[in-house]
Every structure is written in C-alpha cells, then in structure tokens.
Amino acid sequence: MDKNGKILLATLSGIGAGIVAGILLAPDNGQTTRDSVKRSLTKAGEDMERTMKNWMSKLEKSGTTGAGSSLVMHGTWDDVKGQLKQNYAELTEEDLTYAEGKEDELFGRLQIKLGKTKEDIVSMIDNIRNSLK
C-alpha cells in the first residue's frame, strides 16, 4: 500500500510539474494555453480515475477492502437511477435516493427491495454505469 501511495504522489507531482512547465514555456496565447491545459487536466483526471478504479478493484478481489469500495457515483447517478427504474418497476424515488458518503444506506434499501446481496447490487450498478459510457 505504501508503494502505491508513493507511485500516486510521484504521478501527481509529475503532472503538476508538467502543467507549470507548459504554462511557463507556452508559445500560444492565453486562451489557447488555458484550453490546452484544461484538455490535459481532463485527460489526466480520467487516467487517474481509471487507475484508481483498477487499484480498488484489485484490493476488493484480494479481500483487502469490502465490496463496493470501488463504486464511485458522481455525474451519472440520474442516468443509473433511470435505468434501475426501467429494470425494476418496484423501485421508488425514495429507494434510489443517493447521498455521497452514504452508499451503504442505498445498498441496504436496494438489497431489501430487490432481494439481492450487496455484491450483486454493486455489480449491477457498475454494469449500468459502464453500459452508459
């Protein structure tokens, strides 16, 4: 775990140094430079999210963390919620209420309503999110 933390810190430091160097040495005007930096940061963020999901998935599979710890719900929860409502008509708006940091409450409501395990619920939500990308 300590090794992974060092790798993550080194990666973030490298990204930061690259951004600073890019801004200082940029031959383009301000708007073009800002657009370029924004694209770079977006790509770096997507790469970091993908890397973190892979690490969390490996930790889950090894039993180091509990099921569901790699689930990240932001930005597309309304889409996931809509798909869940289509697939399971018995789910209400209240059943699908999600508050950041309270995933276990959501999982508990869905487990009761759908009669599935937490692992099944997590897998189902991840599958829906992946199909929406």
Side-chain angles (χ1 to χ4, degrees):
M1 196 68 163
D2 188 32
K3 182 179 177 184
N4 288 339
K6 289 178 183 178
I7 291 170
L8 181 60
L9 183 59
T11 301
L12 292 174
S13 298
I15 290 170
I19 290 169
V20 169
I23 290 171
L24 293 175
L25 302 173
D28 297 326
N29 68 30
Q31 183 62 42
T32 305
T33 301
R34 284 189 297 276
D35 290 343
S36 176
V37 168
K38 183 178 177 182
R39 281 191 305 276
S40 296
L41 288 174
T42 300
K43 184 182 180 325
E46 290 168 355
D47 290 345
M48 289 297 294
E49 182 178 0
R50 203 171 16 260
T51 300
M52 291 302 294
K53 282 183 182 180
N54 287 337
W55 283 352
M56 290 305 293
S57 179
K58 287 177 185 176
L59 290 173
E60 273 186 29
K61 288 176 184 172
S62 72
T64 305
T65 63
S69 58
S70 68
L71 181 65
V72 178
M73 292 193 288
H74 55 78
T76 62
W77 178 241
D78 287 335
D79 295 330
V80 172
K81 187 166 63 170
Q83 188 66 47
L84 285 169
K85 282 183 176 180
Q86 283 182 345
N87 294 350
Y88 301 95
E90 67 267 33
L91 293 176
T92 65
E93 192 69 30
E94 187 176 322
D95 294 330
L96 296 169
T97 300
Y98 168 72
E100 191 170 338
K102 299 193 178 202
E103 293 84 2
D104 285 334
E105 291 177 15
L106 170 67
F107 296 145
R109 289 191 303 271
L110 294 176
Q111 283 177 268
I112 291 167
K113 198 76 169 220
L114 301 176
K116 296 183 180 284
T117 66
K118 181 178 179 180
E119 291 78 16
D120 292 339
I121 300 290
V122 170
S123 178
M124 180 177 56
I125 291 171
D126 278 342
N127 289 338
I128 291 171
R129 287 189 70 233
N130 290 333
S131 72
L132 294 171
K133 288 184 179 181

